[in-house]
Amino acid sequence: MRTPIIAGNWKMHKTISEAIETVSHLKEKIKNVKGREVIVAPPFTAISEVSRVLKDTFIAVSAQNIHWEVKGAFTGEVSPIMVKDAGAEFVIIGHSERRQYFGETNETVNKKIKAALKQGLKVILCIGESLEQRESGQTFQVLEEELKKGLFEIKSDGIESIVIAYEPIWAIGTGKTATPEIAEEAHKFIRDYISKIFNKDIGEKIRILYGGSVKPTNISDLMDMEDIDGALVGGASLDPDTFAEIVQFK
Ligand code: PEP
């Protein structure tokens, strides 16, 4: 049995006071929820205060990115130790926006995953194909390459701290959700590939989230699929009422 995870990626939204208001409301709304894990990923500036508000709740906090070094002359960067110290338990690595706008590559993704695991952070590794890649029949090739390079030299004990998020780029922030069948096909491919490079037991246990315009109206159909273990939610996670509805999918 894989416990579902619903994670909210706030991207570059919310001041500290807005973040506090959001999670204060959210924690009340979902306080009686059982049988699922919930994660929120505020911007760096709000991690500390959000963690304080969520202390003693089942809602975990994630960073949206890290640098791979622990410290040093890297102006503007934030290290794994720093986000952990601020209260983050998870970090999102390889989000398509970071790959697209900030030069993230499979190689830097791999360095960041290793650095996160070394500091005891859990990882949400994002992978996914562009529309062009899907239309030219390269989806599985892209996913395989992102997994192979992203997880290079990660051992069995490391993979246990990793959650994979399948996020087709064409579905992120576009309002265009992959159909449950399209998402399931990719999730199954990812699970089979993880089973192949690690082992069947790890493949069965790893949680694979779907991301791309998830809303209260489509979450249940997605969650009905065999290999979809939860969701990484962008836009719809900003409003605590909407996010709480997604968390409470039937
Ligand atoms: C995301 O940011 O990971 C995401 C899936 O965004 P949205 O839900 O807005 O498509």
Side-chain angles (χ1 to χ4, degrees), residues 71-227:
K71 61 180 168 185
F74 302 102
T75 303
E77 293 291 329
V78 177
S79 88
I81 286 189
M82 292 168 185
V83 299
K84 198 173 173 206
D85 181 52
E89 196 183 317
F90 286 83
V91 56
I92 298 171
I93 296 180
H95 192 281
S96 64
E97 286 152 17
R98 297 225 49 92
R99 294 180 192 255
Q100 204 176 337
Y101 307 131
F102 302 102
E104 191 87 275
T105 64
N106 288 324
E107 288 67 31
T108 56
V109 163
N110 180 248
K111 284 193 198 186
K112 291 179 180 190
I113 293 177
K114 287 174 176 164
L117 296 177
K118 201 167 170 190
Q119 300 308 326
L121 285 165
K122 293 180 213 158
V123 170
I124 301 172
L125 165 62
C126 299
I127 59 173
E129 80 288 358
S130 64
L131 186 58
E132 201 185 0
Q133 289 164 332
R134 173 157 286 270
E135 285 177 345
S136 60
Q138 292 175 70
T139 299
F140 296 142
Q141 203 182 311
V142 170
L143 296 179
E144 180 167 332
E145 172 136 328
E146 288 182 330
L147 287 171
K148 189 177 183 179
K149 294 189 173 162
L151 297 174
F152 178 63
E153 291 177 345
I154 301 298
K155 306 274 181 310
S156 305
D157 57 342
I159 191 76
E160 284 171 4
S161 298
I162 298 176
V163 171
I164 293 170
Y166 168 62
E167 300 208 303
I169 299 167
W170 47 272
I172 299 180
T174 56
K176 247 196 235 170
T177 323
T179 62
E181 293 71 26
I182 288 178
E184 170 61 19
E185 184 189 37
H187 282 232
K188 170 102 178 59
F189 174 84
I190 294 165
R191 193 174 308 288
D192 288 347
Y193 188 72
I194 294 292
S195 298
K196 192 171 97 182
I197 59 172
F198 291 93
N199 61 53
K200 184 114 190 74
D201 185 46
I202 288 173
E204 280 307 312
K205 277 198 198 134
I206 195 156
R207 264 104 41 104
I208 308 171
L209 315 183
Y210 167 77
S213 300
V214 171
K215 307 179 213 52
T217 46
N218 57 27
I219 183 70
S220 299
D221 289 345
L222 289 160
M223 291 305 298
D224 276 346
M225 306 313 284
E226 175 80 24
D227 292 291

